[in-house]
């Protein structure tokens, strides 16, 4: 009998759920019993990926994002509610641990998903949360709050390499928390480079992230699609919906969701790829040896930092959403597989050692 391992991805977009896929598969290959606790789009996504696994609905903190280019004031007003949600999340976790005989927990960026009774892992690439220039003085406060939650866990996993070349840059370096820490390498649900197909898609737009900004970018692309020649495919990151927009330009095709095989097919057929540039999306693109044009979610400082950092390295192109022009998009950059390390193919070995020691 394998161990019951509770997997808890954050529900802000799909990225935290997608990067849990190789961990879940690795645990299954080792004869373990992953149990998924999630909510909203991550729950729908993982339910489709693993229809035979036990799924538990676990609501969590759901931030409300502003329509403006700054999220600071909107997020500040949500802090009291966030703290309350983290406490409730923790109470729910202790109940799940008892009722489902959980042996260990892997929490992807969910602050309340730890237990006093079983080994708990926190996974993140954000140890040093970036702040807007005007609020730089808040960095020590935010870091202290971040560390105060991480310290409840028994160990920390960082999906990156410890040495250069690093994908996360200053977000996860140095690892200065006082619990056992492992850099576990890049994670992706895709394990190899794509085959070169005929590129008959001019622009593949991969939407993600919280509302209303997801829809704002979608509407910008739809409007600008009428001004460009070429075929445009939009992946909407809505795995739990069936309806599609009406009155769209003839050169635009929508998909609410794409399974892994179809996603890889779309990537292989696309001349230019446009995406938000969330960390998990970047890991997937690197695994598939493709660059992209990054349009970070306005006010999401992590994505803005990564876009600037990787553009300066000459690996991706990027712009702010307010300056986005479909006509100006170019992702014809050099291959990146020789610069970044490959996705961690030793993950199963790492997980085996971890299981032997908990």
């Amino acid at each position: 009998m394998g161990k019951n391992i509770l997997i808890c991805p954050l529900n802000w977009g799909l990225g935290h759920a997608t990067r849990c896929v190789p961990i879940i598969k690795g645990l299954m290959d080792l004869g373990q019993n992953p149990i998924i606790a999630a909510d909203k789009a991550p729950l729908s996504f993982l339910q489709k990926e693993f229809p035979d696994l036990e799924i538990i609905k676990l609501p969590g903190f759901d931030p409300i994002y502003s329509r403006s280019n700054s999220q600071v004031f909107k997020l500040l007003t949500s802090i009291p509610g966030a703290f309350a949600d983290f406490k409730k999340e923790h109470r729910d976790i202790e109940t799940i641990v008892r009722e489902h005989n959980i042996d260990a927990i892997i929490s992807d960026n969910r602050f309340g998903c730890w237990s006093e009774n079983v080994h708990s892992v926190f996974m993140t690439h954000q140890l040093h949360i970036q702040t807007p220039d005007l609020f730089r003085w808040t960095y020590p406060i935010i870091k202290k709050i971040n560390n105060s939650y991480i310290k409840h866990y028994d160990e920390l996993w960082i999906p990156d390499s410890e040495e250069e070349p690093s994908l996360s840059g200053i977000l996860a370096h140095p690892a200065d928390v006082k619990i056992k820490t492992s850099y576990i390498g890049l994670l992706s649900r895709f394990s190899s480079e794509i085959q070169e197909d005929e590129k008959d898609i001019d622009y593949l737009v991969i939407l993600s992230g919280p509302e209303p900004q997801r829809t704002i970018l979608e509407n910008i692309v739809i409007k600008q699609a009428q001004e460009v020649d070429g075929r445009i495919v939009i992946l909407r990151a809505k795995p739990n919906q069936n309806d599609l927009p009406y009155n769209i330009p003839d050169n635009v095709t929508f998909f609410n969701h794409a399974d892994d095989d179809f996603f890889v097919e779309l990537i292989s057929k696309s001349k230019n790829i446009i995406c938000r540039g969330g960390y998990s999306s970047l890991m997937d693109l690197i695994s598939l040896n493709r660059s992209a044009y990054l349009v970070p979610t306005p006010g999401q400082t992590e994505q803005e930092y990564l876009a600037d950092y990787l553009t300066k390295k000459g690996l991706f192109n990027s712009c702010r959403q307010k300056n986005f022009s479909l006509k100006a998009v170019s992702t014809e950059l050099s291959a990146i597989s020789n610069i970044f390390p490959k996705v961690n193919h030793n993950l199963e070995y790492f997980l085996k050692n971890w299981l032997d020691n908990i």
Side-chain angles (χ1 to χ4, degrees):
M1 294 291 292
K3 295 178 180 178
N4 293 331
I5 311 297
L6 190 67
I7 311 293
C8 309
L10 189 69
N11 65 343
W12 300 6
L14 287 179
H16 295 278
T18 62
R19 73 185 187 189
C20 284
V21 168
I23 291 175
I24 295 170
K25 288 182 176 178
L27 291 170
M28 293 173 67
D29 289 343
L30 291 168
Q32 308 306 306
N33 179 35
I35 298 173
I36 297 165
D39 191 23
K40 298 190 175 179
L43 184 147
S44 299
F45 169 79
L46 291 172
Q47 205 161 30
K48 291 177 180 177
E49 287 284 317
F50 303 101
D52 296 328
L53 291 186
E54 183 176 1
I55 305 282
I56 301 168
K57 183 176 174 60
L58 179 64
F61 173 57
D62 194 9
I64 300 174
Y65 276 71
S66 168
R67 296 183 63 87
S68 72
N69 291 327
S70 174
Q71 306 298 333
V72 174
F73 293 107
K74 198 73 171 179
L75 292 177
L76 283 175
T77 60
S78 69
I79 287 176
F83 290 159
D85 284 344
F86 298 154
K87 287 183 179 179
K88 181 180 183 305
E89 185 175 74
H90 175 60
R91 291 196 299 270
D92 291 342
I93 283 291
E94 294 292 18
T95 300
I96 292 171
V97 166
R98 290 194 304 272
E99 294 181 351
H100 295 264
N101 298 315
I102 300 299
D103 296 298
I105 300 169
I106 300 173
S107 167
D108 189 332
N109 251 101
R110 291 190 72 156
F111 281 148
C113 292
W114 57 278
S115 172
E116 297 175 349
N117 301 302
V118 300
H119 193 88
S120 304
V121 174
F122 190 75
M123 185 165 73
T124 187
H125 63 278
Q126 287 202 77
L127 296 179
H128 307 281
I129 297 172
Q130 300 302 290
T131 55
D133 290 339
L134 287 176
F135 293 86
R136 191 68 64 192
W137 58 273
T138 65
Y139 172 78
I141 301 171
I142 293 172
K143 181 170 176 57
K144 186 174 182 179
I145 293 172
N146 195 41
N147 287 357
S148 73
Y149 281 101
I150 294 176
K151 74 179 183 181
H152 289 298
Y153 292 79
D154 297 291
E155 61 180 299
L156 171 68
W157 292 355
I158 300 173
D160 197 2
S161 56
E162 185 171 5
E163 308 297 334
E164 289 292 337
S166 135
L167 179 61
S168 61
I170 63 174
L171 296 178
H173 300 79
D176 54 356
V177 293
K178 296 180 180 179
I179 60 174
K180 180 182 177 182
T181 300
S182 300
Y183 287 88
I184 64 173
L186 302 185
L187 296 176
S188 174
R189 65 192 194 274
F190 307 113
S191 59
S192 61
E193 295 179 18
I194 55 178
Q195 299 296 318
E196 285 298 326
D197 292 331
E198 180 183 353
K199 291 183 167 44
D200 57 2
I201 300 172
D202 294 280
Y203 303 95
L204 173 63
V205 183
I206 305 171
L207 298 174
S208 62
E211 297 290 4
Q213 292 296 335
R214 192 213 64 83
T215 296
I216 290 173
L217 180 57
E218 180 177 274
N219 290 336
I220 290 172
V221 172
I222 293 172
K223 182 178 180 180
Q224 294 189 11
Q226 304 173 58
E227 304 168 1
V228 300
D229 295 324
R231 182 185 175 200
I232 300 168
V233 173
I234 300 178
L235 283 178
R236 306 184 71 221
K238 289 180 172 288
N240 50 348
Q241 290 194 11
N242 295 317
D243 295 337
L244 294 170
Y246 296 98
N247 300 320
I248 59 175
D250 292 338
N251 61 335
V252 175
T253 303
F254 277 101
F255 296 101
N256 281 329
H257 179 64
D259 63 23
D260 288 357
D261 291 339
F262 187 41
F263 182 86
V264 171
E265 180 184 341
L266 291 174
I267 291 285
S268 70
K269 291 183 175 181
S270 298
K271 298 175 184 175
N272 296 291
I273 301 168
I274 301 160
C275 70
R276 280 301 192 192
Y279 194 74
S280 298
S281 296
L282 296 174
M283 290 193 291
D284 286 341
L285 287 167
I286 288 169
S287 175
L288 298 172
N289 195 28
R290 288 301 303 270
S291 185
Y293 195 91
L294 308 180
V295 187
T297 301
Q300 200 165 96
T301 53
E302 168 226 356
Q303 290 189 12
E304 291 172 343
Y305 165 76
L306 288 171
D308 292 341
Y309 170 67
L310 296 170
T311 298
K312 288 175 182 176
K313 283 180 172 285
L315 303 175
F316 291 80
N317 284 331
S318 66
C319 77
R320 294 297 186 259
Q321 182 171 284
K322 63 182 180 181
N323 300 323
F324 177 75
S325 169
L326 198 54
K327 291 180 179 179
V329 166
S330 174
T331 60
E332 295 299 322
L333 298 174
S334 59
I336 55 181
S337 63
N338 294 328
I339 298 171
F340 280 107
K342 288 292 187 183
V343 168
N344 185 2
H345 296 299
N346 293 319
L347 180 62
E348 188 172 316
Y349 177 77
F350 172 82
L351 291 173
K352 183 180 186 304
N353 284 341
W354 173 69
L355 289 164
D356 289 341
N357 287 285
I358 62 172

